């Protein structure tokens, strides 16, 4: 929920309870905002320090600062829902808040006696997370594969690591859609894992005539594992390698499209 500075400034006395109640002490305000992601401490000196001034926040300053911090996050909606439902004078507060937020695409509705703010766009997409790994890569990959619930698609230039292969077999036995695109060369034919046990596509040449040199794995079309690391014993035990585990659905979709392209090459 994203609100303008004007709306936030006018919501402050409603949150503090100074105008319409219930009045909230500084410790109560810290506890309220703590429920919605603000990790503040109320100590013997009172409210937290304002980093801009070096002095402690007043109640009004604290609420305005934290409302601005939450603006743009779904937690702001949840906090305001709680404040509205706890209001002492709902017949006054509801039209007042509606007048503030309606120009910004929001409104308060009542359902079974509970008031809630509706409208706007609720973003429930988890944040993008990228993790780079340079050591114990095999274990990081195993941990990610363990979480697969729908699909695991692997495009790998060279694949000789039996531990990772056995994890793919385990996930396939659980009903996970496991597919493999693999470079068709002497290393994989002589030293590779038993690809016949998993649906796979052997790729002799990349579209431009060179190697199929990809090294990526897509999990549930949500997570991508990619980097220099081939799924080989040398990569795990001898080479200097890296992978990035990217929890990014848009990135995963791009890699899924490339996997489909690789596996349909003539």
């Amino acid at each position: 929920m994203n609100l303008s500075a004007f709306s936030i400034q006018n919501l402050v006395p409603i949150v503090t309870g100074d105008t319409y109640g219930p009045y909230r002490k500084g410790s109560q305000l810290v506890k309220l905002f703590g429920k919605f992601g603000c990790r503040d401490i109320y100590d013997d000196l009172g409210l937290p320090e304002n980093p801009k001034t070096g002095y402690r926040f007043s109640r009004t300053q604290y609420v305005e600062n934290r409302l601005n911090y939450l603006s743009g996050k779904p937690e702001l909606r949840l906090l305001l829902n709680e404040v509205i439902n706890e209001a002492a004078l709902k017949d006054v507060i509801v039209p007042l808040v509606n007048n503030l937020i309606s120009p910004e695409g929001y409104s308060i509705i009542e359902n079974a006696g509970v008031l809630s703010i509706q409208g706007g766009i609720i973003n429930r997409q988890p944040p993008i997370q990228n993790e780079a790994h340079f050591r114990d890569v095999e274990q990081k990959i195993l941990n990610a594969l363990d979480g697969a619930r729908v699909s695991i698609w692997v495009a790998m230039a060279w694949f000789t690591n039996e531990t990772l292969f056995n994890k793919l077999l385990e996930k396939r036995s659980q009903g996970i859609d496991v597919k493999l695109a693999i470079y068709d060369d002497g290393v994989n034919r002589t030293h590779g894992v038993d690809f016949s046990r998993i649906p796979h596509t052997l790729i002799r040449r990349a579209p431009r005539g060179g190697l199929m040199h990809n090294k990526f794995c897509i999990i549930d079309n949500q997570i991508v594992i990619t980097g220099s690391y081939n799924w080989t014993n040398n990569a795990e035990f001898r080479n200097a390698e890296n992978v990035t585990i990217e929890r990014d659905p848009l990135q995963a979709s791009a890699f899924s499209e490339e996997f489909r392209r690789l596996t349909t090459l003539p």
Side-chain angles (χ1 to χ4, degrees):
M1 182 180 187
N2 202 336
L3 291 178
S4 67
F6 174 83
S7 291
I8 285 174
Q9 191 175 68
N10 283 277
L11 284 168
V12 169
I14 295 173
V15 177
T16 61
D18 286 346
T19 307
Y20 302 104
Y23 178 88
R24 292 182 175 91
K25 298 184 294 185
S27 58
Q28 293 172 315
L29 292 170
V30 168
K31 184 177 180 180
L32 172 66
F33 280 92
K35 293 166 63 175
F36 302 100
C38 298
R39 298 169 61 85
D40 297 318
I41 298 295
Y42 187 90
D43 58 23
D44 293 340
L45 297 178
L47 288 163
E49 182 180 289
N50 184 341
K52 292 184 178 180
T53 65
Y55 296 102
R56 296 280 173 148
F57 279 116
S58 68
R59 289 168 56 257
T60 297
Q61 292 169 341
Y62 174 76
V63 170
E64 184 171 0
N65 181 276
R66 294 312 187 247
L67 289 176
N68 277 298
Y69 169 75
L70 291 179
S71 186
K73 301 179 173 67
E75 288 81 4
L76 178 61
R77 186 190 305 260
L78 300 176
L79 182 142
L80 292 177
N81 284 345
E82 180 162 324
V83 168
I84 294 165
N85 281 284
E86 290 181 351
L89 299 173
K90 291 185 179 64
D91 56 333
V92 176
I93 292 294
V94 170
L96 180 59
V97 174
N98 262 331
N99 285 338
L100 286 172
I101 66 176
S102 61
E104 297 172 39
Y106 303 95
S107 62
I108 300 172
I109 66 166
E110 182 176 351
N111 183 18
V114 178
L115 299 167
S116 61
I117 296 174
Q118 302 294 311
I121 299 173
I122 302 174
N123 181 10
R124 291 195 171 93
Q125 180 174 315
I128 294 170
Q129 298 176 2
N130 295 321
E131 303 168 359
H133 300 290
F134 306 93
R135 287 169 293 279
D136 300 322
V137 173
E138 178 187 88
Q139 188 57 54
K140 301 299 191 301
I141 295 173
L142 289 171
N143 293 343
L145 294 175
D146 270 330
R149 295 183 295 174
V150 178
S151 61
I152 300 171
W153 293 357
V154 181
M156 197 59 52
W158 293 283
F159 195 157
T160 66
N161 186 314
E162 291 285 348
T163 300
L164 292 173
F165 184 69
N166 287 334
K167 178 59 68 175
L168 295 183
L169 293 176
E170 175 191 325
K171 299 305 290 185
R172 187 163 188 257
S173 72
Q174 297 170 2
I176 304 300
D177 174 30
V178 179
K179 292 187 177 75
L180 178 63
I182 191 76
Y183 180 42
D184 185 14
D185 81 332
V187 172
N188 284 321
R189 286 193 297 269
T190 305
H191 304 289
V193 295
D194 184 2
F195 309 122
S196 66
R197 303 175 67 186
I198 286 178
H200 65 280
T201 301
L202 295 174
I203 301 173
R204 294 183 179 275
R205 284 285 181 266
R208 295 184 295 175
L211 304 179
M212 199 295 286
H213 208 242
N214 283 293
K215 308 163 188 68
F216 65 81
C217 170
I218 313 139
I219 299 172
D220 296 342
N221 205 39
Q222 300 289 310
I223 297 171
V224 175
I225 305 171
T226 189
S228 71
Y229 186 97
N230 280 291
W231 288 16
T232 63
N233 296 320
N234 280 342
E236 178 63 20
F237 299 110
R238 298 184 62 186
N239 301 344
E241 303 276 3
N242 69 81
V243 297
T244 301
I245 299 177
E246 306 174 7
R247 291 170 173 81
D248 181 346
L250 290 178
Q251 186 85 317
S253 292
F255 274 89
S256 293
E257 290 176 11
E258 178 62 12
F259 184 89
R260 291 192 186 96
R261 191 185 69 84
L262 287 171
T263 54
T264 54
L265 289 174

